[in-house]
């Protein structure tokens, strides 16, 4: 029998970057390592949850006891999330989903001929906002990486996407992406709490403890 504040609950976590194909050998992506999302998945498992981790390509091993679903593109990530989310009480979006994808994926490798080559991009679906619009919906947690006005921008994101909780961090030289440590502030409708600066795993544990409290206190419906 599982013990811990999330015992008996299934949690869905997204992590890592996505890859958006230009042609069969090239893609657009970003510098996300996946570490924060994998740490969150591990912390949820330690808290007794059944954890499904939908991950874009990373170099990381999945945490023990976590079910890993590997995806590449944002479209694949959305499909995997939609296939899992109904069975989940909590959704935590830590993936660095590419905001845009190529309007078309070339069926064969693009040859280098032209001196200038345009690439048209179209918006990707917002996976987090899509889940937050579902009824019924899980307890929904997003991340916000901001370079400035961290709390104000995170609060705007909370409202715009209709989230229960946002974990906000400052990114920029020396902090954030592709590093072992991080600094998070939690933002919800009528409050905020700094979680301090620590390793991603330690911050994930603090975050998961707050998620368990706030999920437990949520009005049923
Ligand atoms: O709007 P922004 O990209 O800053 O929001 C970040 C949050 O939204 C993160 O939790 C990220 O995982 C999620 N997100 C998403 N799908 C997108 C873009 C962001 O789930 N297409």
């Amino acid at each position: 029998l599982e013990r811990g504040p999330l015992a008996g609950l299934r949690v869905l976590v997204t992590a890592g970057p996505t890859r958006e194909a230009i042609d069969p050998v090239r893609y657009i992506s970003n510098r996300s390592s996946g570490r924060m999302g994998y740490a969150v998945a591990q912390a949820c498992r330690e808290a007794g949850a059944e954890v499904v981790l939908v991950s874009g390509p990373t170099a990381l091993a999945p945490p023990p006891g976590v079910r890993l679903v590997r995806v590449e593109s944002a479209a694949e990530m959305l499909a995997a999330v939609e296939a899992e989310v109904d069975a989940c009480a909590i959704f935590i979006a830590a993936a660095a989903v590419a905001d845009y994808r190529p309007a078309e994926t070339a069926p064969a490798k693009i040859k280098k001929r032209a001196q200038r080559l345009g690439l048209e991009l179209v918006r990707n679906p917002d996976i987090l906002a899509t889940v937050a619009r579902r009824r019924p919906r899980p307890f929904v947690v997003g991340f916000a990486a901001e370079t400035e006005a961290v709390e104000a921008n995170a609060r705007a994101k909370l409202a715009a996407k209709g989230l229960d909780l946002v974990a906000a961090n400052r990114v920029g030289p020396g902090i954030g992406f592709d590093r072992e440590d991080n600094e998070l502030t939690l933002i919800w409708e009528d409050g905020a709490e700094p979680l301090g600066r620590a390793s991603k795993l330690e911050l994930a544990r603090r975050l998961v403890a707050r998620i368990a409290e706030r999920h437990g206190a949520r009005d049923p419906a």
Side-chain angles (χ1 to χ4, degrees):
L1 199 67
E2 294 296 340
R3 301 159 133 277
L6 294 182
L9 297 177
R10 187 180 293 182
V11 179
L12 181 58
V13 180
T14 66
T18 64
R19 286 181 181 170
E20 310 299 328
I22 298 170
D23 69 16
V25 297
R26 304 184 180 96
Y27 56 80
I28 296 172
S29 191
N30 61 65
R31 294 183 185 280
S32 168
S33 66
R35 284 190 201 121
M36 192 69 224
Y38 278 55
V40 167
Q42 179 175 338
C44 288
R45 182 73 197 119
E46 289 173 0
E50 193 183 316
V51 182
V52 181
L53 175 60
V54 175
S55 177
T58 74
L60 304 173
V66 165
R67 178 154 67 86
L68 179 66
V69 178
R70 291 180 194 278
V71 298
E72 289 229 339
S73 65
E76 288 172 17
M77 185 172 280
L78 177 61
V81 163
E82 289 192 316
E84 300 285 348
V85 71
D86 279 335
C88 295
I90 298 172
F91 176 66
I92 307 172
V97 181
D99 290 321
Y100 294 88
R101 68 177 182 278
E104 279 145 25
T105 300
K109 186 180 170 189
I110 298 169
K111 293 295 184 189
K112 56 171 177 289
R113 289 197 198 98
Q115 289 303 319
R116 289 176 76 112
L117 185 61
L119 181 64
E120 192 183 358
L121 303 177
V122 296
R123 283 285 289 274
N124 264 332
D126 190 311
I127 297 167
L128 176 58
T130 302
V131 169
R133 282 192 297 267
R134 295 172 77 96
R135 295 294 180 274
R137 64 171 218 176
F139 187 88
V140 181
V141 182
F143 276 76
E146 305 290 349
T147 56
E148 62 201 350
V150 175
E151 185 172 337
N153 286 324
R155 198 165 282 292
K157 200 156 293 182
L158 180 88
K161 299 197 191 194
L163 311 178
D164 293 297
L165 192 65
V166 170
N169 62 324
R170 186 183 300 279
V171 293
I175 185 148
F177 258 21
D178 211 9
R179 290 179 56 99
E180 200 46 64
D181 63 337
N182 206 346
E183 185 173 347
L184 288 183
T185 299
L186 296 189
I187 314 282
W188 59 96
E189 197 178 3
D190 46 19
E193 181 190 358
L195 293 186
R197 187 169 186 160
S199 73
K200 288 181 175 174
L201 183 56
E202 173 57 27
L203 285 172
R205 288 173 174 147
R206 294 178 195 169
L207 168 63
V208 167
R210 297 310 184 281
I211 290 171
E213 285 169 16
R214 299 198 69 77
H215 170 265
R218 179 168 83 150
D219 295 336

